[in-house]
Amino acid sequence: MDINQTLPQVDLPPNMIHLGLGQPSNHLLPIKELEKAAAHCLSKENSFFLAYGEERGNANFRQTLAEFLTGQYPNPVDPGQLMITNGNSQALDFICTLFARPGDTVLVEEPSYFLALRIFADRKLNLVSIPVDDNGMVTDVLKKKLETLKPSFLYIIPTYHNPASVTLSFKRRQDLVKICAQKDLLVVADEVYHFLNYTDDPPPPMGNWIDKCPLISLGSFSKILAPGLRLGWMHTSPDLIKKMTMSGLIDSGGGFNPFTSEIVNSVISLGFLKANIQRLKNVYHQRIKIFCDQLRIHLPDQAVFKVPQGGYFIWVRLPDNIDTKSFRKAAQKQNVDFHPGALFSHKKGLKNYMRLSFAFYDEEVLAEGARRLGKVISENLS
Amino acid sequence: MDINQTLPQVDLPPNMIHLGLGQPSNHLLPIKELEKAAAHCLSKENSFFLAYGEERGNANFRQTLAEFLTGQYPNPVDPGQLMITNGNSQALDFICTLFARPGDTVLVEEPSYFLALRIFADRKLNLVSIPVDDNGMVTDVLKKKLETLKPSFLYIIPTYHNPASVTLSFKRRQDLVKICAQKDLLVVADEVYHFLNYTDDPPPPMGNWIDKCPLISLGSFSKILAPGLRLGWMHTSPDLIKKMTMSGLIDSGGGFNPFTSEIVNSVISLGFLKANIQRLKNVYHQRIKIFCDQLRIHLPDQAVFKVPQGGYFIWVRLPDNIDTKSFRKAAQKQNVDFHPGALFSHKKGLKNYMRLSFAFYDEEVLAEGARRLGKVISENLS
């Protein structure tokens, strides 16, 4: 078996175990369910979803999605609070077009999702970061920063953070909303991992507070169904949706993904989404156990990490004087790889960290990866 | 029958004939073919297209598309010259992100596609226009303008222009390429109507000259298959593709539409695309005959237009002192509507024009629309 599954964005030597990869295993992509859903939706007489779509997304899909989210969240979601996107990367890009200009300041977390940082860099935005601790973004620091700064928006990954794997506490969520309401600061919450909890439920998603401060909660089918669909949603206030649907891009192209939306509408209606999420949670939970056990066995004591409660990632901290990037080549020589911490810092800090993930490989491969990584780290700490 | 087909972006009174609408009739959207194509592609074992896609688009889809285009164009197209998009609106938006900054100058035609103008407005671009005559953009004026201006790019609709319905002549294409090569000016050619010719073949698409000057030719499945797919392509040089695939948006989300790409790959492989284009050409050609006949009968002599050789549009000119917008309300009262000329001018000129289309309504409705429109124009010219 080719452990690297010959996926399009994964171009690796056959025996390499790249523990940094943040995408699901090929065999976890539910093609049979999509086949049934496509047959279900395309056998209909009504082909409205082949025309230019409603600006905010197909009405019936938003209805189905709102019902699904209402079943998952502590508070009801209304279809009028949803706008369909091509996934969170496109949503972030779109938000940059509408809410920021080159040179504007945007607040991010330290660490933050490295490819969001790249999207912001393409827009020539000026990034300022707020540190993250075990309870997520340190809201006291945010408050302080906002005494002098006037950012265009704040980008946060509140739940099962990428890469830090921490979750913003309920108390901090309330603080964040209060602070941003006072300053009229738009919060862009990337909640892509919200449904992937392996222990207790997380706090309510930030979408819970859309009537309390300017806030867009980004959801996606990439982690709970398939990234190749390029489908997601924004959960936000009707006022912000109205503003966004008036953009030239939407006016010209119509809603973002009407065809795929209708197929995913069938996926949800046929009950496949709920079943798929449960299946993923079972698989990932099992992987975490094995992987963390093996990491504890093979990594030296100076490599510290917490067992993730959800999401995709393990964030490993090494002693302050270590730059994980410095032994990446040595790791690759031993057929193991990781994402060095500095990737996740807009100011190239966090050099002593590395991001690992258990989304892509099966347990056996993860165990072997942990063994190889332990060896490399041990050799480079001594 | 509801003549307005209750489409998502079409919110009209039931008896209104909106001759401005530039989208295909509902019954021309090939849902049965898409059903078969989805079954064909989703019954496969390999689900690579559900993962994050290759940055420039699925390799096998680009291969299929290149073969298709090679069969249609005078010169061969290589898969390495193609990058898949979410349709031309998204492609334009993406090009703005990568090649322009707010305040930059962009050259457009006068007239130009009104929603492209909106996309550029969202980016706070400074628009300068080049006039269009019966042979398309007047390249002598372009040359003159470029003596003083340094635009970020030039946006042109070379074939079956929206709204002017003219086609850039072969000679002008060569001029354009020569001028832009000299000035190293990026040409963005929106070639969405290229395949919809109703008489002779048009000149070669601008993609023919990608090795002669910086040029991106935008193609789309919106007009030849279905707008709701949100799928298109760029035909350009490998160098420009490399630059674009290095953007943060692509790095984060992967290729733009891998799932839908694979379904359309099956559409093409099964021979449905070629058949669908032929069907559309037959239908539209027939509609043009009837509609133009009726317009000639009912419109007063001062309303001048040419029979379109391809595309979607008829561009009607009224006497210079007429503002077509001034009688739009009167038209709506008589249950007919159109797009006034000023929409297509970034400087609100062209007031004495109107855009009509035959893409949305059947012949009978078009004939009735021509009758109603003739009455309104006659009343407002006297």
Side-chain angles (χ1 to χ4, degrees), chain A residues 50 89 118 122 223 246 248 252, chain B residues 52 89 118 122 228 246 248 252:
Chain A
L50 297 180
S89 308
R118 290 249 3 239
D122 280 355
K223 311 299 180 194
M246 279 167 20
S252 177
Chain B
Y52 288 103
S89 307
R118 290 252 359 245
D122 281 355
M246 278 169 18
S252 176

Side-chain angles (χ1 to χ4, degrees), chain A residues 214-229:
Chain A
L215 193 150
I216 302 174
S217 158
L218 303 179
S220 168
F221 292 98
S222 290
K223 311 299 180 194
I224 56 178
L225 212 52
L229 298 169

Side-chain angles (χ1 to χ4, degrees), chain B residues 77-210:
Chain B
V77 174
D78 186 272
Q81 300 166 338
L82 297 175
M83 176 168 169
I84 306 306
T85 70
N86 286 131
N88 285 7
S89 307
Q90 182 267 338
L92 274 181
D93 186 67
F94 183 58
I95 288 168
C96 288
T97 299
L98 296 183
F99 299 103
R101 295 278 153 231
D104 282 3
T105 294
V106 165
L107 296 179
V108 298
E109 292 166 293
E110 174 83 349
S112 185
Y113 170 46
F114 69 116
L115 295 173
L117 300 179
R118 290 252 359 245
I119 291 173
F120 301 147
D122 281 355
R123 299 302 185 120
K124 308 273 183 280
L125 297 172
N126 171 36
L127 300 183
V128 173
S129 60
I130 316 289
V132 162
D133 67 17
D134 283 353
N135 291 311
M137 178 185 278
V138 184
T139 42
D140 285 347
V141 178
L142 170 67
K143 199 173 175 181
K144 194 115 208 143
K145 292 262 187 201
L146 288 178
E147 285 169 9
T148 51
L149 289 174
K150 280 288 280 175
S152 295
F153 62 87
L154 172 149
Y155 172 69
I156 183 168
I157 307 147
T159 308
Y160 314 133
H161 188 280
N162 175 6
S165 217
V166 297
T167 291
L168 192 69
S169 69
F170 187 76
K171 166 82 174 55
R172 290 255 180 101
R173 285 173 199 240
Q174 291 177 312
D175 289 349
L176 177 71
V177 167
K178 199 175 151 192
I179 295 166
C180 294
Q182 267 171 2
K183 293 285 182 179
D184 196 32
L185 173 61
L186 176 65
V187 177
V188 179
D190 187 343
E191 314 217 66
V192 66
Y193 302 104
H194 185 87
F195 293 106
L196 296 179
N197 62 301
Y198 311 123
T199 57
D200 298 337
D201 282 348
M206 295 305 302
N208 214 42
W209 286 276
I210 54 171

